[in-house]
Amino acid sequence: MGKPVYQKVRGMHDILPDASHRWEAVEAAYREVVGLYNYREIRNPLLEDTGLFQRSIGDDTDIVGKEMYSFTDAGGDELTLRPEGTAGVVRAYVEHSIAAVEAVTKCYYIGPMFRRERPQKGRYRQFHQAGAEIFGAPPPVVDAEQVVMLAEFLDRIGLGGAVVLFNHLGSGETRRRYRQLLSEHYGARRSELCTDCVRRLETNPLRLLDCKVESCAKMKGDAPKMREILDGADLSLLERFRSLLHAAGVEAREDDRLVRGLDYYTGIVYEVEVEAERGSVVVAGGGRYDDLVAGLGGSETPAAGFAIGLERVLDCLPESPPASVDLFVLVPSPEAEATAASLLLEARRAGLRADLDPRAGSMKAQMKRANKLGSAYVLILGQKELEAGTVAVKDMREGGQVDVDVAAAVKHVLERLGR
Ligand code: ATP
Ligand code: MG
């Protein structure tokens, strides 16, 4: 077969022609569901100024600190392949003054993200997210609606029964106090912390709860809980959020120590888990980021959104075969090639998936190819048929073969397929 001179970059994957139909189906379902909620698509560049991510995701996060693909281009610009979608959407929202055109904006995106993480099952260096953002709406109605939309999407593709874990990161003063409490809790056991967490004590105490190093993760068990210091207004928001989800039949559990890996989150945050064969998988995360628009130069704008990891979703779904061919034309001789071409054109214009064997081998080889493609019908343009102006239509599923006028052949197949 020959030996490849190059291989794909570690942690990045080709989505090959025999697998892409699964992606298309999931993406189509996503577009359909978010469309019902009146979200419209936004398509941002994959490259942004590095500063955008530093400023919005936060300098002391794993993403910005360790995982970004950043480089200086030939003109000296500092650029980064986007590690997530929200920052670019907000950048565009501010840059195009969208707030001046409409008070509430709902948009969604689908596309690749890049993070230089250690590759493993469900964790890649190029992966794909489907996300949604809403600008100009306060909590908790739209937050709950976004989660319900997410659950509807999962349900539609066959991943029903999603569980939502949620928390509230506290407003301004409360969050400052919580940071302080965390800093004290972890600071008392400074010597047991990893070097990253020692730094986080000063720079970013919320991130302490996120550390994957075992000795640090152990301290999470008796860390202070957000709920203990949330004020009445935040608690009642959480309650309304919970009951809206409940009313929509979405299972939701409060997780007192849930923080997210990005600094822009402000209020309600959540993760969505689904049960797969190999245990529960976190397929999505999201929440409120009320300070980000202003942080990037816009006016104060409440906002919320989520992102779904499409690889994780697809890993939970069963394999499925690609679409099979509806009609296949066997071309025994060059004399039949013009008739074959016009039959194929007619079939395709009528919406049939139609093909032939471009290698023009023996009838047997062509029939083998038709079988391989799972063709429902095969049209055979033999010498006898060609002279009579007919074509033999073979039903590959039920068996049987009939001669039909060339002019009526495609219509015949359409009728048999019920289209
Ligand atoms: P995790 O805790 O799994 O690292 P995260 O908090 O970094 O996730 P987000 O940044 O909120 O995740 O991204 C939302 C979703 O994108 C995740 O729930 C996950 O499904 C997916 N995701 C994140 N990073 C990766 C990756 N490296 N490879 C594949 N999917 C990913
Ligand atoms: Mg991560």
Side-chain angles (χ1 to χ4, degrees):
M1 273 317 258
K3 191 166 164 282
V5 180
Y6 295 106
Q7 293 180 338
K8 57 191 158 53
V9 173
R10 189 166 133 80
M12 306 200 176
H13 293 276
D14 299 305
I15 299 167
L16 297 173
D18 68 354
S20 54
H21 62 285
R22 300 178 70 228
W23 285 81
E24 289 169 4
V26 164
E27 289 168 6
Y30 185 72
R31 290 178 196 281
E32 198 174 322
V33 171
V34 298
L36 296 173
Y37 286 78
N38 196 28
Y39 281 75
R40 293 167 301 156
E41 189 175 19
I42 180 165
R43 300 191 187 198
N44 296 115
L46 303 191
L47 281 177
E48 297 277 358
D49 282 321
T50 299
L52 170 68
F53 300 115
Q54 292 170 328
R55 199 170 170 133
S56 40
I57 300 168
D59 269 323
D60 198 30
T61 56
D62 282 351
I63 294 178
V64 172
K66 309 177 188 166
E67 299 171 356
M68 294 208 301
Y69 284 94
S70 301
F71 63 98
T72 311
D73 81 356
D77 290 337
E78 302 288 341
L79 302 176
T80 293
L81 275 169
R82 66 180 187 192
E84 58 97 56
T86 304
V89 174
V90 176
R91 195 260 314 133
Y93 178 80
V94 174
E95 184 172 343
H96 299 281
S97 307
I98 293 177
V101 184
E102 52 181 16
V104 175
T105 298
K106 297 164 107 172
C107 58
Y108 79 90
Y109 59 85
I110 302 176
M113 307 295 162
F114 304 83
R115 298 184 194 173
R116 200 175 180 289
E117 303 196 65
R118 198 167 68 77
Q120 52 193 287
K121 181 88 182 156
R123 200 170 287 289
Y124 312 105
R125 292 182 170 180
Q126 174 173 336
F127 61 101
H128 298 77
Q129 288 184 335
E133 318 285 356
I134 184 166
F135 299 98
V141 172
V142 295
D143 308 60
E145 196 182 73
Q146 283 187 330
V147 176
V148 172
M149 176 168 89
L150 212 171
E152 290 283 302
F153 159 69
L154 293 172
D155 197 45
R156 168 118 21 155
I157 59 172
L159 294 177
V163 177
V164 179
L165 303 173
F166 66 93
N167 193 14
H168 193 300
L169 294 181
S171 329
E173 187 48 41
T174 321
R175 193 155 63 252
R176 266 192 292 283
R177 243 192 86 216
Y178 190 55
R179 286 206 187 97
Q180 181 65 34
L181 290 174
L182 285 175
S183 194
E184 285 163 15
H185 171 79
Y186 283 89
R189 286 186 271 172
R190 192 186 196 94
S191 60
E192 297 159 55
L193 292 173
C194 73
T195 47
D196 281 341
C197 278
V198 171
R199 190 186 66 246
R200 289 172 184 142
L201 284 173
E202 318 305 331
T203 58
N204 201 345
L206 273 187
R207 287 280 79 73
L208 290 161
L209 289 173
D210 228 11
C211 187
K212 309 284 190 293
V213 176
E214 209 188 322
S215 51
C216 304
K218 271 206 303 241
M219 287 179 221
K220 186 172 166 178
D222 51 359
K225 296 180 177 177
M226 195 69 220
R227 170 164 278 273
E228 285 157 10
I229 61 162
L230 280 181
D231 63 24
D234 290 340
L235 284 172
S236 95
L237 269 186
L238 266 193
E239 231 19 74
R240 286 163 65 201
F241 177 72
R242 186 209 304 269
S243 70
L244 285 163
L245 293 186
H246 182 75
V250 176
E251 189 181 338
R253 279 201 305 268
E254 188 169 338
D255 175 349
D256 254 346
R257 299 189 183 95
L258 177 74
V259 291
R260 312 266 314 112
L262 306 96
D263 281 352
Y264 53 63
Y265 287 114
T266 48
I268 293 170
V269 290
Y270 54 85
E271 286 184 350
V272 179
E273 269 180 15
V274 299
E275 278 313 315
E277 256 169 43
R278 60 202 156 85
S280 61
V281 181
V282 178
V283 296
R288 193 148 268 281
Y289 51 92
D290 285 344
D291 298 336
L292 187 54
V293 175
L296 294 177
S299 44
E300 290 291 331
T301 309
F306 64 73
I308 307 166
L310 294 182
E311 280 79 359
R312 296 214 189 151
V313 162
L314 278 153
D315 281 348
C316 296
L317 293 173
E319 294 291 330
S320 62
S324 51
V325 164
D326 299 313
L327 178 156
F328 192 93
V329 182
L330 250 54
V331 191
S333 66
E335 292 83 75
E337 130 195 321
T339 310
S342 63
L343 276 170
L344 284 165
L345 181 62
E346 186 189 345
R348 289 164 179 158
R349 283 183 173 161
L352 295 179
R353 185 181 278 262
D355 211 351
L356 51 62
D357 189 335
R359 300 166 300 178
S362 68
M363 292 281 271
K364 196 169 157 223
Q366 293 186 37
M367 192 54 108
K368 203 169 151 201
R369 172 88 184 147
N371 269 313
K372 173 100 169 56
L373 297 178
S375 189
Y377 289 86
V378 173
L379 308 192
I380 306 162
L381 287 170
Q383 194 58 40
K384 187 168 62 65
E385 288 89 357
L386 218 53
E387 278 160 18
T390 62
V391 54
V393 181
K394 192 172 162 69
D395 184 332
M396 301 292 280
R397 296 179 300 191
E398 308 275 310
Q401 182 172 322
V402 287
D403 279 348
V404 180
D405 275 348
V406 167
V410 169
K411 196 159 161 275
H412 173 86
V413 171
L414 280 169
E415 268 164 19
R416 291 301 210 67
L417 287 169
R419 300 216 214 142

